[in-house]
Amino acid sequence: MRKQKCGVIIIAAGYSSRMDGFKPLLKFGRQTAVERVVALYQQAGVDQIILVLGHREDEIRPYFANQPLDVVVNENFAEGMYTSIITGVAHLNDEIEAFFIHPVDIPLVKRETVKELIAAPQQLSKGIIYPSFLGERGHPPLIDKKYRSAILDNKQGGGLKRLLALYEADAADLPL
């Protein structure tokens, strides 16, 4: 059974305005939140890691100076998280078959969760896979590349959650 090529778009571009402190650089043990999320996908063997920066990007960028990931800047980050999602999706390599969207303020996802999600499309035959716990959907969703243009061309409000809700018939929950 062939492992599909997966990518991740890590969103770390916002202001962190609802929080005391700057989310990407908050410490979790010895690592910052952004280092922890990047390391998660490195350890899980994801094929392409895209880190989307914006606000205070000059403070985050040095943490990843010599690492094999794509650091991109969303110049429109002040317009909201969806602009960062678009920036990341636009940078996905053509061979990526599915991708995660992972906000930096959710740093405690387990490597096993990512690995189970990567394996899930072959069993579930769905284009959008959500990790779930006790019936509640969580992060990060795994999205098939067939939704790339829908994300890039989306003009309705409500962000990614509202857009993906349009494709509920092609979605599945993976209980973890």
Side-chain angles (χ1 to χ4, degrees):
M1 195 168 8
R2 183 183 74 80
K3 176 183 146 320
Q4 68 177 340
K5 290 199 171 283
C6 288
V8 61
I9 298 161
I10 301 168
I11 307 298
Y15 288 112
S16 303
S17 55
R18 295 184 309 255
M19 185 153 197
D20 289 340
F22 184 51
K23 290 178 194 176
L25 298 181
L26 290 177
K27 286 289 196 178
F28 285 85
R30 294 186 181 134
Q31 294 177 304
T32 62
V34 68
E35 287 175 301
R36 185 177 175 101
V37 175
V38 167
L40 164 68
Y41 289 97
Q42 289 171 332
Q43 293 163 8
V46 169
D47 299 285
Q48 183 184 17
I49 299 172
I50 299 171
L51 177 60
V52 181
L53 302 179
H55 182 62
R56 295 171 63 175
E57 63 105 358
D58 56 319
E59 294 174 49
I60 301 171
R61 189 182 289 273
Y63 285 87
F64 304 100
N66 297 308
Q67 293 202 30
L69 68 144
D70 300 325
V71 178
V72 296
V73 176
N74 173 13
E75 301 294 342
N76 301 314
F77 70 89
E79 295 172 29
M81 188 189 304
Y82 198 81
T83 63
S84 293
I85 292 170
I86 290 171
T87 299
V89 169
H91 281 84
L92 283 166
N93 294 336
D94 290 340
E95 67 270 9
I96 296 297
E97 298 169 273
F99 55 93
F100 295 97
I101 302 285
H102 195 128
V104 75
D105 60 355
I106 305 172
L108 299 178
V109 173
K110 296 177 180 174
R111 183 174 66 228
E112 294 77 22
T113 298
V114 172
K115 288 186 172 236
E116 287 189 46
L117 284 162
I118 290 170
Q122 293 174 338
Q123 295 128 22
L124 300 174
S125 299
K126 295 290 185 178
I128 304 165
I129 314 275
Y130 296 95
S132 67
F133 182 72
L134 300 176
E136 293 289 322
R137 286 181 171 170
H139 286 281
L142 179 65
I143 303 165
D144 188 277
K145 72 175 181 179
K146 68 184 170 187
Y147 294 108
R148 184 177 178 176
S149 60
I151 292 169
L152 293 172
D153 299 337
N154 182 25
K155 300 294 182 235
Q156 66 178 4
L160 185 66
K161 186 174 183 177
R162 182 169 175 202
L163 175 68
L164 294 182
L166 299 174
Y167 304 102
E168 189 59 36
D170 191 31
D173 293 359
L174 179 66
L176 298 168

